Amino acid sequence: MQGQLSGRPTGVLSKNTTRTVGKDALAMNSAAGQAVGMVVRTTLGPQGMDKLLVDSSGNVLVTNDGVTMLQEMDIEHPAADLVVDVARTQEAEVGDGTTSAVVITGSLLEAAESLLDDDIHPTAVVGGYRRARQLAAGAIDELAESVDPTDRNILEAVAATSLTGKSAEQQRDLLARIVVDAVTDATDAYGNVDRDLIRLRTFYGQSMAESEYREGVTLGKRPPHPMMPEDVPDATVLVFEGAIELSELELDVEARVSDADTAGAFAEHDREELASLVDPIIEMGVDVVVAGEGIDDWAQGRFADAGVLAFRRVDEADRKRIARATDATRIADLDILEAKHLGFADRVARERIRPTRYAGAARPERVFSFDGGAGGGVGTIWLRGGTDQVVDEVERGIEDAIDVVSRTLSDGAILPGGGAIEMELAQRIRSAAAGVDGREQLAVEAFADALEVIPRTLAQTAGHNQIDALVELAARHDEGQRSAGLDADSGHAVDVIEAGVIEPKSVKATALTAAVDAATTILRIDDVVAAGDLAVGDESADETDEF
Ligand code: ADP
Ligand code: MG
């Protein structure tokens, strides 16, 4: 069957179509998948290197983040793309561990290759890998340690582990504290983290050490009217979802009026209608209006005359944050407005967020801060750094750290990092392999070997002898030290939980699931039909307009 199909296509496919079948297809796809793993491997861990990516128009991006790297590279091979999807899945589900997931996928494919060379059928390999994944999932559940959600030390260690090896590392402890502050504030009584409540503002031109977490909300908006106040103490705050404008229907009618007298009458009528929206707000003692949609020019003037500060077209996340911070209730209909819906802040004021000598920079220089809100529990991360390249990369690191701390709270469980969990899983799976029948047993063993790629790579990127490091780690795990992992500085085994190298359970669990899915998908393909060349690499122009 294979011989018949390879070579000349049967006439159904056009001349430009290339077709690769059977072992050739498998070898080609596996090679492409392994290549993706190799590309990101050197960036893994605390001593991992960064990658500098240049796009077709010469823009430069420096990153250590697995998913960012792979997304920005121009990868065309369909099998390689399956591996890139592993990084995307990992990023979307848990936010960190993208490099590990891709490296494990590559390693699983590499291990499969030797089994296939020994004439073990891909189906047996796939079966063995799935079996091993089940064993791994069971072991992960058993090994995970539950966390006390109020234990700041653990949460900060999780954040710090995630920030290690990134540009953020220079200020790792400070940033870890900031992240834990932000996530804790955004967590409700049931332990659910509302990611919308966490806002990150980035400013470049100052030292990263000046980054901070500030309670309250900052709004990067200017008031629409120049005569509105810019410093409002003891502010009563209205958060309104809609527009303070005439309804569209009436604007339509107005547009069709030609005769001047009638137009005058309409204008009078319009003002009355607007006043009926604005005046009750003013009379109720509102000092600051936060509106989700537009505010009519005349209404702006009326607010300004009354000394009311107003913001229009404030996005959903900011409205939610302001409402939460000031203890306001967001209302969608002004007819039902009552005093109990209003919030309160000690002060709403314009603030300069960096010296003007950095003028010309792309991000806002001034913001309005809502401080001392009656609701509390909302803050803003102010992330500063030397250049926008640095700030952007640190921002990616902080986003990941926010994700892992949130995950730790929702999972309620952690695992040791530094290759400890992978080594422990490898050993447990290897001993369970004895109970697996037939050729699948070999695949289960190969899976265990493949997991060791993580400690091995961590040793390698840190410049240590891989074999020595693995032997020492294996010995510790043999003795029952489950959390023995690699100390990247010395290359020796340490208790990584004590050393504070800690990750949420789901980062590891999801990485394994995604890696096995991608590897087994690739191993099951025995026919590739392509209407053109298949390549991994950067040949054609990239279409992304970011950067
Ligand atoms: P990923 O994209 O997979 O998160 P990273 O480059 O962040 O890739 O590396 C993560 C790996 O580095 C994990 O295995 C983690 O446990 C390990 N790691 C992080 N900090 C340390 C440390 N201080 N010592 C040893 N290993 C560490
Ligand atoms: Mg990481």
Side-chain angles (χ1 to χ4, degrees), residues 93 319 327 423:
E93 304 243 318
R319 295 197 310 272
D327 198 24
M423 181 55 93

mmCIF file of all heavy atoms in Angstrom, residues 93 319 327 423:
data_model
loop_
_atom_site.group_PDB
_atom_site.id
_atom_site.type_symbol
_atom_site.label_atom_id
_atom_site.label_comp_id
_atom_site.label_asym_id
_atom_site.label_seq_id
_atom_site.Cartn_x
_atom_site.Cartn_y
_atom_site.Cartn_z
ATOM 1 N N GLU A 93 -4.134 28.331 28.928
ATOM 2 C CA GLU A 93 -4.712 27.643 30.084
ATOM 3 C C GLU A 93 -4.079 28.041 31.404
ATOM 4 O O GLU A 93 -4.769 28.190 32.390
ATOM 5 C CB GLU A 93 -4.570 26.128 29.913
ATOM 6 C CG GLU A 93 -5.182 25.635 28.624
ATOM 7 C CD GLU A 93 -6.327 24.683 28.876
ATOM 8 O OE1 GLU A 93 -6.190 23.836 29.760
ATOM 9 O OE2 GLU A 93 -7.335 24.797 28.164
ATOM 10 N N ARG A 319 -14.380 50.652 34.443
ATOM 11 C CA ARG A 319 -15.630 50.935 35.175
ATOM 12 C C ARG A 319 -15.806 49.946 36.320
ATOM 13 O O ARG A 319 -16.201 50.293 37.430
ATOM 14 C CB ARG A 319 -16.839 50.857 34.232
ATOM 15 C CG ARG A 319 -16.825 51.913 33.157
ATOM 16 C CD ARG A 319 -18.180 52.100 32.506
ATOM 17 N NE ARG A 319 -18.837 50.893 32.042
ATOM 18 C CZ ARG A 319 -18.668 50.343 30.842
ATOM 19 N NH1 ARG A 319 -17.820 50.877 29.970
ATOM 20 N NH2 ARG A 319 -19.325 49.266 30.506
ATOM 21 N N ASP A 327 -16.848 51.466 45.867
ATOM 22 C CA ASP A 327 -18.078 50.865 46.368
ATOM 23 C C ASP A 327 -19.316 51.474 45.710
ATOM 24 O O ASP A 327 -20.342 51.683 46.351
ATOM 25 C CB ASP A 327 -18.158 50.994 47.896
ATOM 26 C CG ASP A 327 -19.169 50.015 48.475
ATOM 27 O OD1 ASP A 327 -19.432 48.992 47.810
ATOM 28 O OD2 ASP A 327 -19.698 50.284 49.565
ATOM 29 N N MET A 423 11.758 14.497 37.515
ATOM 30 C CA MET A 423 12.585 13.352 37.910
ATOM 31 C C MET A 423 11.766 12.341 38.705
ATOM 32 O O MET A 423 11.844 11.132 38.466
ATOM 33 C CB MET A 423 13.784 13.861 38.729
ATOM 34 C CG MET A 423 14.733 12.771 39.170
ATOM 35 S SD MET A 423 15.358 11.767 37.796
ATOM 36 C CE MET A 423 16.872 12.601 37.384
#
